[in-house]
């Protein structure tokens, strides 16, 4: 039996520490993206090579979630948080000297391991310590801090690459500093779970969500798969797209384009709190498809302003849809449910990032990036149709545990 420690005046510190740590984790992950074009130009890496780094990152995250997704229920949130931050520090140290694709893949793989631990543990830590009001804060903070961190990392990296004194390394030193600060905050924060036996048994691969919300999984899967696939598209293919199709090689512009997808997600999420989970998913995915329509038009015409505007629309829309889907899955959860539920959420999300990226990497030698983009738009259309017709609220089919 896992018990929440008594709520006291130090619990808000745990909430802040978990949010800062999750943001720092994904800022480190996002910091690599504006450097992809530098690596392509100076080291000869191909678009397929970059796609494989995305696959390595996502596959490592998936494996970590599958094996370690429930471990923090047994050993506590803080030890796993320290492990995740430590892995990110090692990854950043490795990426300070990238001259071979193997080093880049290894660094991104370590980032995937750290992000996988953070995805289940820090998000559960956020929900454990979140204030009771407003009611949407726990789901928005746990689902959108990831997007905000990626946006912050990409913008900071793009700016430092373009204007900083050490374009290929300074951002990683900044990221290491933020990760160490996060570790210090976690060190002075209270634990929210009482360690219990069963840690070794929890390492057996497996996933579960509470029975009462299991009927929500198919639509939630459609939302997570399509939106995170698009995020992976921005990582793997937008660096080449911005340079070759939209005619700019600015690292700052590249960082801003990626941030224009991730950043508005955090702004759209509170808006989704005004709707029921089903309505929020429908509205979000319809707007997400509209954003993709604008993206395809922009790519065909080479219009960078339209591309950025459509990116912002798609980003805000995914925030509405993802937070609504997360809120539905968190309906009525108890403390032991949270880490496993977030493990499932991120398993679905990173599956959406991994599988299309792996297929696209194979196809990138055959099809041009604009054609690959149309494939991702088709995935968004299918997910929107599934959501429009099948979205349900958690109280529609409450089942006994």
């Amino acid at each position: 039996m896992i018990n929440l420690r008594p709520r006291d005046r130090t619990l808000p510190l745990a909430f802040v520490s978990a949010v800062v740590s999750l943001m720092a984790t994904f800022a480190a992950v996002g910091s690599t993206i504006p450097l992809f074009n530098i690596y392509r130009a100076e080291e000869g890496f191909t678009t397929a090579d970059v796609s494989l780094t995305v696959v390595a990152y996502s596959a490592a995250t998936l494996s970590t979630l599958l094996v370690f997704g429930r471990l923090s229920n047994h050993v506590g949130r803080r030890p796993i948080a320290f492990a995740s931050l430590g892995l990110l520090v090692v990854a950043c140290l490795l990426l300070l000297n990238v001259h071979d694709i193997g080093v880049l893949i290894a660094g991104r793989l370590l980032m995937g391991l750290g992000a996988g631990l953070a995805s289940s543990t820090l998000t559960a830590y956020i929900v454990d310590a979140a204030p009771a009001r407003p009611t949407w804060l726990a789901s928005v903070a746990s689902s959108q801090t990831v997007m905000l961190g990626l946006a912050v990392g990409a913008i900071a990296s793009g700016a430092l690459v373009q204007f900083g004194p050490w374009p290929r390394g300074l951002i990683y030193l900044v990221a290491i500093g933020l990760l160490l600060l996060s570790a210090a905050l976690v060190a002075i924060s209270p634990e929210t779970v009482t360690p219990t036996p069963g840690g070794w048994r929890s390492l057996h691969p497996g996933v579960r969500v509470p029975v009462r919300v299991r009927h929500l999984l198919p639509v939630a899967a459609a939302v997570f798969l399509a939106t995170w696939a698009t995020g992976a598209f921005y990582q793997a293919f937008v660096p080449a797209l911005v340079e070759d199709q939209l005619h700019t090689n600015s690292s700052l512009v590249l960082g801003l384009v990626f941030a224009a997808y991730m950043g508005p997600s955090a702004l759209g999420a509170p808006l989704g709190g005004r709707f029921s989970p089903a309505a929020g998913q429908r509205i979000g995915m319809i707007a997400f498809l509209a954003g993709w329509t604008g993206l395809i038009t922009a790519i065909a015409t080479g219009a960078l302003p339209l591309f950025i505007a459509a990116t912002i629309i798609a980003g805000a829309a995914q925030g509405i849809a993802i937070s609504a889907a997360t809120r539905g899955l968190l309906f009525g959860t108890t403390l032991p449910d949270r880490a496993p539920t977030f493990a499932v959420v991120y398993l679905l999300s990173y599956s959406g990032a991994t599988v299309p990226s792996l297929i696209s990497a194979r196809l990138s030698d055959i099809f041009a990036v604009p054609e690959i983009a149309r494939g991702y738009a088709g995935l968004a259309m299918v997910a929107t149709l599934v959501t429009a017709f099948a979205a349900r609220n958690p109280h529609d089919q409450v089942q006994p545990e």
Side-chain angles (χ1 to χ4, degrees), residues 43-123:
E43 307 298 340
F45 298 166
T46 66
T47 300
D49 290 335
V50 173
S51 297
L52 288 177
T53 69
V54 176
V55 171
Y57 164 80
S58 300
T61 307
L62 279 169
S63 302
T64 305
L65 284 165
L66 197 59
V67 177
F68 296 101
R70 296 167 291 169
L71 185 59
S72 70
N73 278 354
H74 299 277
V75 303
R77 309 294 191 215
R78 295 167 70 245
I80 306 302
F82 287 132
S84 68
L85 295 169
L87 284 166
L88 267 294
V89 168
V90 174
C92 289
L93 289 171
L94 185 61
L95 292 173
L96 286 172
N97 188 31
V98 174
H99 296 288
D100 181 85
I101 189 61
V103 174
L104 182 57
I105 289 174
R108 292 293 285 178
L109 189 145
L110 284 173
M111 282 187 167
L113 296 175
L117 290 177
S119 294
S120 62
T121 301
L122 289 174
T123 47

Side-chain angles (χ1 to χ4, degrees), residues 171-197:
I171 185 58
Y172 294 125
L173 295 179
V174 172
I176 289 169
L178 289 174
L179 292 165
L180 294 177
L181 172 63
S182 300
L185 287 172
V186 172
I188 62 174
S189 297
E191 180 59 75
T192 55
V193 300
T194 302
T196 59

Side-chain angles (χ1 to χ4, degrees), residues 36 49 52 102 108 117-118 142 151 169 225 265 276 324 326 344 349 368 391 394:
F36 282 152
D49 290 335
L52 288 177
R108 292 293 285 178
L117 290 177
S142 58
L225 289 169
S265 181
S276 69
T326 303
V344 171
S349 300

Side-chain angles (χ1 to χ4, degrees), residues 179-275:
L179 292 165
L180 294 177
L181 172 63
S182 300
L185 287 172
V186 172
I188 62 174
S189 297
E191 180 59 75
T192 55
V193 300
T194 302
T196 59
W200 286 109
R201 289 194 301 274
S202 75
L203 300 182
H204 295 146
V207 295
R208 69 173 178 85
V209 294
V211 174
R212 63 183 168 276
V213 295
R214 210 165 284 170
H215 67 286
L216 303 177
L217 270 180
V219 171
V223 170
F224 297 138
L225 289 169
T227 54
W228 279 66
T230 298
F233 170 79
Y234 271 76
Q235 291 184 56
F237 294 102
V238 167
L241 189 66
V242 166
E243 183 173 355
D244 301 337
Q245 301 294 130
L246 303 178
H247 314 300
T248 178
N249 59 3
S250 167
S251 296
L252 180 57
V253 169
L254 177 56
L256 289 171
V257 167
F258 183 73
Y261 179 66
M262 295 299 177
S265 181
L267 300 177
L271 179 62
R274 298 174 178 269
F275 307 103

Side-chain angles (χ1 to χ4, degrees), residues 255-387:
L256 289 171
V257 167
F258 183 73
Y261 179 66
M262 295 299 177
S265 181
L267 300 177
L271 179 62
R274 298 174 178 269
F275 307 103
S276 69
Q281 288 174 90
R282 289 193 185 101
I283 292 168
M285 290 306 294
I286 290 170
F288 181 72
L289 182 59
W292 255 113
T293 302
L295 290 172
I296 295 301
T297 303
I299 292 169
T301 59
L304 182 58
L306 176 59
F307 188 88
I308 293 175
T311 294
I312 292 171
I313 291 170
Q318 79 156 357
I320 295 172
I322 289 174
S323 63
T326 303
R327 187 154 42 93
L329 293 176
L330 287 175
F331 177 77
T333 55
T334 60
L335 187 112
D337 294 330
R338 289 169 190 163
T341 297
F342 277 114
V344 171
V345 167
Y346 284 104
L347 277 169
L348 292 170
S349 300
Y350 282 107
S351 294
T354 305
V355 177
S357 293
L358 186 57
I359 295 171
S360 299
R362 296 282 186 176
L363 296 177
S364 61
D365 292 332
I366 302 172
F367 297 104
V369 175
E371 294 171 309
I372 290 173
R374 287 194 287 272
Y376 280 90
L379 177 61
M381 180 181 295
V382 171
T384 301
L385 290 172
V386 170
T387 305

